[in-house]
């Protein structure tokens, strides 16, 4: 994959539903550890909760999105409302095929609302509980999700997430 290559990102639910697509973000960096994309100005297509149609939106803020290889999470680093912000999705390790990064969203998320005064907030516990039952998550998958949840908390505590909070990279590529 070459830098500045336009791709798509597909987020699926465990039942196989393609629930969200980001059209035309750009790969801006790939290392042995991760793929980084810039997603500002990307079109976002979201399947309505009742599967009756789609919602369309656009990412309007400077944003870079890290997909660590072989990890059960991905991270979005953005600048909005004059603050740096991080959103962490617990998700199955991504694959890259057919010009798209594809992953299964596993419902649990974390948010850091202000990087300069960080506070890790866990989100969507109720969505995880609901989907765990609805989609019949196997025990092995629940174990991976729990391990990812613990890893994110540990990485936050040890400041290992700070490497993704690259303000210069966000300024350079986030457009």
């Amino acid at each position: 994959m070459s830098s500045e290559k336009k791709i798509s990102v597909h987020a699926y639910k465990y039942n196989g539903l393609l629930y969200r697509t980001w059209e035309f973000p750009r790969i801006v960096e790939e290392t042995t550890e991760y793929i980084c994309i810039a997603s500002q100005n990307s079109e976002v297509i979201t399947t309505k909760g009742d599967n009756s149609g789609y919602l369309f939106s656009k990412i309007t803020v400077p944003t870079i999105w890290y997909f660590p290889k072989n990890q059960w999470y991905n991270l979005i680093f953005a600048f909005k409302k004059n603050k740096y912000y991080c959103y962490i999705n617990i998700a199955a390790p991504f694959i890259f095929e057919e010009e798209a990064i594809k992953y299964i969203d596993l419902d649990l998320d974390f948010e850091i609302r202000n990087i300069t005064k960080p506070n890790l907030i866990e989100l969507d516990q109720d969505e995880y509980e609901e989907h765990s039952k609805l989609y019949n998550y196997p025990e092995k998958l629940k174990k991976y999700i729990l391990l990812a949840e613990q890893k994110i908390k540990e990485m936050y505590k040890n400041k290992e997430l700070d490497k993704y909070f690259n303000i210069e990279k966000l300024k350079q590529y986030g457009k």
Side-chain angles (χ1 to χ4, degrees), residues 71-121:
Q71 298 296 324
W72 285 77
Y73 61 91
N74 58 66
L75 306 99
I76 299 167
F77 181 48
F79 183 74
K80 63 191 210 184
K81 298 183 181 176
N82 296 317
K83 292 184 180 173
Y84 294 98
Y85 163 92
C86 182
Y87 195 86
I88 305 165
N89 296 300
I90 292 185
F94 75 90
I95 61 170
F96 187 86
E97 68 178 10
E98 301 170 344
E99 303 302 314
I101 291 174
K102 300 176 180 182
Y103 69 92
I104 299 171
D105 182 292
L106 297 168
D107 309 311
L108 287 178
D109 302 300
F110 290 91
E111 184 177 74
I112 303 171
R113 292 197 178 127
N114 187 352
I115 299 304
T116 57
K117 295 179 186 174
N119 186 21
L120 186 69
I121 302 162

Side-chain angles (χ1 to χ4, degrees), residues 132-174:
S132 175
K133 292 174 187 158
L134 179 66
Y135 302 142
N136 197 24
Y137 286 1
E139 288 305 313
K140 188 173 183 178
L141 178 62
K142 290 179 187 179
K143 184 177 175 180
Y144 282 123
I145 293 168
L146 178 61
L147 289 171
E149 180 184 33
Q150 292 169 345
K151 181 174 184 168
I152 294 297
K153 290 176 180 178
E154 192 67 26
M155 290 174 68
Y156 173 78
K157 180 180 166 189
N158 295 332
K159 300 193 180 294
E160 294 173 52
L161 294 173
D162 292 2
K163 66 184 172 186
Y164 297 110
F165 309 151
N166 187 324
I167 293 169
E168 290 308 311
K169 188 182 292 183
L170 182 63
K171 287 178 182 175
Q172 180 180 0
Y173 296 122

